[in-house]
Amino acid sequence: MVEGGFTKLLRKKLFFHLAQKYQPLGSSEPKEEEEEECELKIIEQEKEVAVLAPKDACKCHKEDLAKALNVDLQTGLSECSVLQRRLKHGWNEFSVENTEPIWKKYLDQFKNPLILLLLASALVSVITKEYEDAASITMAVLIVVTVAFIQEYRSEKSLEELNKLVPPECNCLREGKLQHLLARDLVPGDIIYLSVGDRVPADLRLIEVTDLLVDESSFTGEAEPCNKTDSVLMEAGDITTLSNVVFMGTLVRYGKGKGVVIGTGENSQFGEVFKMMQAEETPKTPLQKSMDRLGKQLTLFSFGIIGLIMLIGWLQGKHLLGMFTIGVSLAVAAIPEGLPIVVTVTLVLGVLRMAKKRVIVKKLPIVETLGCCNVICSDKTGTLTANEMTVTRLVTSDGFQAEVSGVGYNGEGNVYLLPSKEILKEFSNVSVGKLVEAGCVVNNAIIRKNSVMGQPTEGALIALAMKMELADIKDTYVRNKEIPFSSEQKWMAVKCTLKNQDQDDIYFMKGAFEEVIQYCSLYNSGGISLSLTPQQKAFYQQEEKRMGSSGLRVLALASGPELGKLTFLGLVGIIDPPRAGVREAVQVLLDSGVSVKMITGDALETAMAIGQNIGLCNGKLKAMSGEELDQLAEAELSSTVKNVSIFFRTSPKHKLKIIKALQRAGAIVSMTGDGVNDAVALKSADIGIAMGQAGTDVSKEAANMILVDDDFSTVMNAIEEGKGIFYNIKNFVRFQLSTSISALSLITLSTVLNLPNPLNAMQILWINIIMDGPPAQSLGVEPVDKDTIKQPPRRITDTILSKSLILKIFMSAVIIISGTLFVFWKENPKGGINPRTTTMTFTCFVFFDLFNALTCRSQTKLILEIGFFRNRMFLYSVLGSFLGQLAVIYIPPLQKIFQTENLGVLDLLFLTVLASSVFIVSEFVKLCEKHCCQPKHTKGCHN
């Protein structure tokens, strides 16, 4: 009862507000009686008007539609009805669920196991009164967490951005008056008027149309605008077949129309995508998983050290608490606190390098994820192709054939006569010239600033005329009459006369071959009209079929004095061709073991033609439709999709299904796309890549990466960068762990065996600076090797600490420990340790460190192959560390602090030769691996 009373009160207040808002100028306040009467009317007509699904609405007659939505199609809704429906259906917009507060998102960054381990080591440092260590570790953690938080905070706005595609204004009929309203004000049952250039404000069932063409490519992937009708459909297929329904966010390209709102906000087709995006979680990246595993491995390693030290101490009868303190200190020292900083800096530099290549990366770890990517699923329209219809083939009525270069509406390119490859201009070949002239005249499109206003197919014909230098020929004719194109007759014709010439009228016609040929009795042969024979018709039909089977949209052109006596001029083949560089990029990806799959809403023939053209799966194509996908069980789907190269007639749900199936099969999936229909798949893929220019706001915000220039080939650069980053992180881990294990082993051995300590506290601190400082950090910025792209994608199960890396770490550590202990033994006099002993041992260890860093620049390539001078930061870091070590040895004030003394030239030479052993052995191992263990990977179509 209380709830009902509150609802009535709310309605009353809202109605009063609306009555004030819409009262005529100069009128007094709304009368109390009218308000009461309307309120009673609302309460009496508490009839819930439900939204209509497009598949139901398309089968309704206008009268049934008006009855179902309780609206008068001539006057529209009343303000009372609008208020009633808004209370039920809400505003025509998308509401994003309350997100977590910023502080909670920041704290979530601390859940990383490695970060928690570092915080634990900082706490131990405080307990053991090592305050400097605690401060440095805490500072490192805060820097890493803050950088990661800022990056991720910027990128988590995908759902909010959906509102940007909802148009702000529309023309709506209410209470018999055409009003200019905000799109968010619409409710089911509103009557909307559409004209050229309008974005559709809600899902509409059309009730009146005049030559209406709507661009639905962002939903369906179809490059060609859809012809819309107001007639009732008997059967409802998928959304591409609903010719009497238009969807929110699509664009009116031509004509005008009137429709009834059947779905708003989340109840629209657009809303379906919104809800699917809400349900999708962005998957964790392989690097994040690898770092999690590394954190756990280092934790176990730390506890192992503590346990071992305590066990040895207990066996020796030492005090357990003291041994525990030593064990904890060593464990803390073993944890590479520089690792998170190196990872973050490496990723940030990767992001900056990608930005220079016109690729925006929104989440740091995504850069590295590309190194694991083994399947790229790409949308066709606007991604692999430019979404610009282009004439690529001409066949004249007298048998001449020509091919056309250049893509889009900029007029760049040429027409080449086959097989001679002669470039044709104007009427240098009369038959080709007449064919191009007809296409230019029977045309309503205009090209301005390299974009088409009108139908894309007509734009393609204008662009063809521009390439032939015939674009102005249209101005030599005066148009007297137009017979517009309709989906029933499938042709368009114009009746013209030449300017300033007293000649007979001439008709120009274009359309489907089987329709145009019926109006022809002659054919053109070098400018002369000859009688059309059955043999000629059969030849044209064969050519039309051949062009159609290669994915071209074929138009026939004719001209003549009257319909029925036209001269057939020839055929024009139009397609949305692949972008420049796509074929080469696909080939490089296939060679590196990355499978490329095309997912499109287009028909099979067009999809196969583009697939063949770009070299998908080396020409061995296997295709599957959206309907076939629906019929497969989940288990069967995962095994089937791996071997399919082309998916056609797909919806957003199909795209999501394909990606999920590939992920279940163990693939790391990248999805590239530009439309609303790609948004859900972009978010659920391991890497979502959107187009910067052609892409919708939704696709850009759902993606992790944006290709600013819409250049598919830059994906190669991104994959190369991703592989390089992971290798750099491994190089750093190898260097730091081999150095820390060596230092720890020296201290542990001396502690356990009751030997004098070979290094003092200040010397250990200096080694720590080198271990975590510039030489180590500079390994993270090693430039990406040019052969990296040829390497197969790394498996998701590969950890940073692989068996091979662990063996190399221990190999380097054993050489460093052995060499340092040898120097310590050699320089240890019988009378006990003196400054020379510690200086030689200390310098030996530092030189080992620097040579170790040099060989850690690559795990597989020799230093001569990668070059000494490629990583300048590394050179400066090593040189700085070397000069710093000399300063520690030779400058008197520093000698006092570090307890060192001068060494002779022969001493330095001896230490250099000894320390270089770690470099020489590591390089020799690389050489053996190179000749004995060549990496194997298969090229091709599956993972």
Side-chain angles (χ1 to χ4, degrees), residues 233-484:
L233 300 182
M234 303 309 293
E235 290 280 324
D238 60 23
I239 61 169
T240 58
T241 64
L242 306 183
S243 59
N244 59 4
V245 176
V246 288
F247 301 103
M248 178 194 284
T250 56
L251 182 66
V252 177
R253 286 283 190 191
Y254 191 74
K256 55 187 180 180
K258 178 181 173 185
V260 185
V261 174
I262 57 171
T264 58
E266 293 184 27
N267 293 316
S268 64
Q269 196 68 32
F270 203 116
E272 288 297 313
V273 176
F274 174 83
K275 283 183 271 192
M276 286 169 73
M277 273 186 70
Q278 272 190 320
E280 280 308 309
E281 291 280 330
T282 305
K284 242 187 179 184
T285 69
L287 180 62
Q288 288 169 325
K289 291 173 184 173
S290 293
M291 295 301 288
D292 288 352
R293 281 196 295 270
L294 182 61
K296 287 167 187 168
Q297 286 170 334
L298 291 174
T299 306
L300 292 171
F301 176 65
S302 301
F303 282 122
I305 288 175
I306 295 167
L308 182 66
I309 295 288
M310 287 184 71
L311 178 65
I312 292 168
W314 177 68
L315 291 171
Q316 291 180 338
K318 291 185 178 177
H319 195 263
L320 279 181
L321 185 61
M323 297 307 289
F324 176 75
T325 306
I326 292 170
V328 167
S329 301
L330 291 174
V332 168
I335 297 165
E337 62 265 31
L339 180 58
I341 292 179
V342 164
V343 170
T344 305
V345 168
T346 305
L347 292 173
V348 167
L349 288 169
V351 168
L352 294 175
R353 282 196 292 265
M354 291 312 302
K356 286 179 184 174
K357 294 173 183 175
R358 310 286 285 162
V359 178
I360 297 168
V361 180
K362 291 160 65 180
K363 282 194 175 184
L364 287 181
I366 287 297
V367 188
E368 186 280 329
T369 308
L370 282 153
C372 304
C373 174
N374 48 17
V375 179
I376 293 179
C377 293
S378 181
D379 173 52
K380 179 186 77 70
T381 308
T383 305
L384 294 174
T385 67
N387 199 10
E388 294 179 329
M389 299 302 280
T390 306
V391 176
T392 58
R393 198 90 179 169
L394 303 175
V395 177
T396 66
S397 52
D398 49 354
F400 285 109
Q401 300 213 9
E403 67 177 16
V404 186
S405 66
V407 176
Y409 308 118
N410 53 19
E412 293 176 8
N414 290 301
V415 178
Y416 299 95
L417 190 67
L418 297 177
S420 65
K421 291 280 186 177
E422 175 194 346
I423 295 175
L424 301 179
K425 297 290 180 187
E426 297 182 334
F427 288 94
S428 57
N429 180 293
V430 177
S431 300
V432 175
K434 278 186 163 292
L435 182 64
V436 173
E437 177 192 34
C440 187
V441 176
V442 61
N443 203 311
N444 290 322
I446 300 168
I447 290 177
R448 281 192 192 144
K449 295 179 181 178
N450 298 340
S451 61
V452 66
M453 297 172 68
Q455 289 194 52
T457 43
E458 292 194 332
L461 294 171
I462 297 286
L464 172 66
M466 288 163 70
K467 291 169 188 176
M468 288 275 289
E469 296 177 3
L470 288 171
D472 297 331
I473 202 161
K474 188 177 181 179
D475 300 333
T476 62
Y477 290 91
V478 178
R479 186 179 292 189
N480 301 322
K481 181 184 175 185
E482 178 183 333
I483 304 169

Side-chain angles (χ1 to χ4, degrees), residues 464-736:
L464 172 66
M466 288 163 70
K467 291 169 188 176
M468 288 275 289
E469 296 177 3
L470 288 171
D472 297 331
I473 202 161
K474 188 177 181 179
D475 300 333
T476 62
Y477 290 91
V478 178
R479 186 179 292 189
N480 301 322
K481 181 184 175 185
E482 178 183 333
I483 304 169
F485 178 90
S486 74
S487 52
E488 288 79 29
Q489 68 185 26
K490 294 183 180 176
W491 57 265
M492 169 192 175
V494 292
K495 182 182 176 184
C496 303
T497 51
L498 279 164
K499 276 184 183 176
N500 307 321
Q501 290 187 33
D502 189 17
Q503 288 189 356
D504 294 337
D505 291 341
I506 181 168
Y507 281 91
F508 291 95
M509 179 186 278
K510 76 167 187 294
F513 166 75
E514 62 272 14
E515 300 297 328
V516 172
I517 200 73
Q518 290 178 25
Y519 292 87
C520 298
S521 58
L522 305 165
Y523 77 95
N524 173 59
S525 179
I528 302 166
S529 295
L530 303 175
S531 293
L532 190 61
T533 64
Q535 289 85 356
Q536 287 296 125
K537 282 186 182 180
F539 167 72
Y540 302 146
Q541 194 166 13
Q542 186 182 346
E543 285 296 316
E544 190 263 348
K545 196 172 180 181
R546 186 174 62 82
M547 289 167 78
S549 64
S550 64
L552 297 174
R553 183 178 179 196
V554 185
L555 288 179
L557 291 148
S559 66
E562 61 181 278
L563 297 178
K565 293 184 179 178
L566 298 180
T567 300
F568 186 75
L569 298 174
L571 302 167
V572 172
I574 302 173
I575 198 168
D576 178 16
R579 289 180 181 276
V582 167
R583 184 181 178 86
E584 293 78 9
V586 167
Q587 193 54 53
V588 172
L589 291 167
L590 291 175
D591 288 345
S592 66
V594 179
S595 173
V596 182
K597 299 180 187 300
M598 184 167 76
I599 308 177
T600 179
D602 252 340
L604 174 62
E605 293 77 15
T606 309
M608 290 292 277
I610 297 295
Q612 292 279 5
N613 200 326
I614 64 175
L616 269 191
C617 219
N618 298 318
K620 298 166 189 172
L621 298 176
K622 185 179 177 185
M624 181 181 280
S625 69
E627 283 183 18
E628 289 173 305
L629 272 171
D630 288 332
Q631 291 164 11
L632 290 176
E634 196 173 280
E636 194 181 354
L637 187 64
S638 294
S639 59
T640 305
V641 293
K642 289 198 292 183
N643 303 313
V644 177
S645 310
I646 293 173
F647 297 92
F648 63 98
R649 291 290 183 217
T650 57
S651 68
K653 286 180 182 175
H654 292 136
K655 292 184 179 186
L656 183 60
K657 213 171 180 182
I658 293 161
I659 284 168
K660 294 284 187 191
L662 287 165
Q663 287 172 332
R664 279 195 303 275
I668 298 297
V669 185
S670 167
M671 172 74 197
T672 64
D674 66 328
V676 177
N677 59 335
D678 302 316
V680 184
L682 287 169
K683 191 168 184 189
S684 65
D686 296 285
I687 311 130
I689 304 172
M691 301 293 119
Q693 293 177 356
T696 57
D697 287 339
V698 188
S699 65
K700 288 179 201 172
E701 287 303 319
N704 311 109
M705 280 174 54
I706 299 166
L707 306 182
V708 176
D709 294 331
D710 293 6
D711 186 358
F712 181 80
S713 59
T714 50
V715 172
M716 281 191 312
N717 296 330
I719 288 176
E720 192 175 53
E721 196 69 49
K723 289 177 179 177
I725 283 168
F726 187 74
Y727 295 149
N728 285 352
I729 292 168
K730 285 185 82 166
N731 295 342
F732 170 84
V733 168
R734 178 185 171 182
F735 169 71
Q736 197 167 55

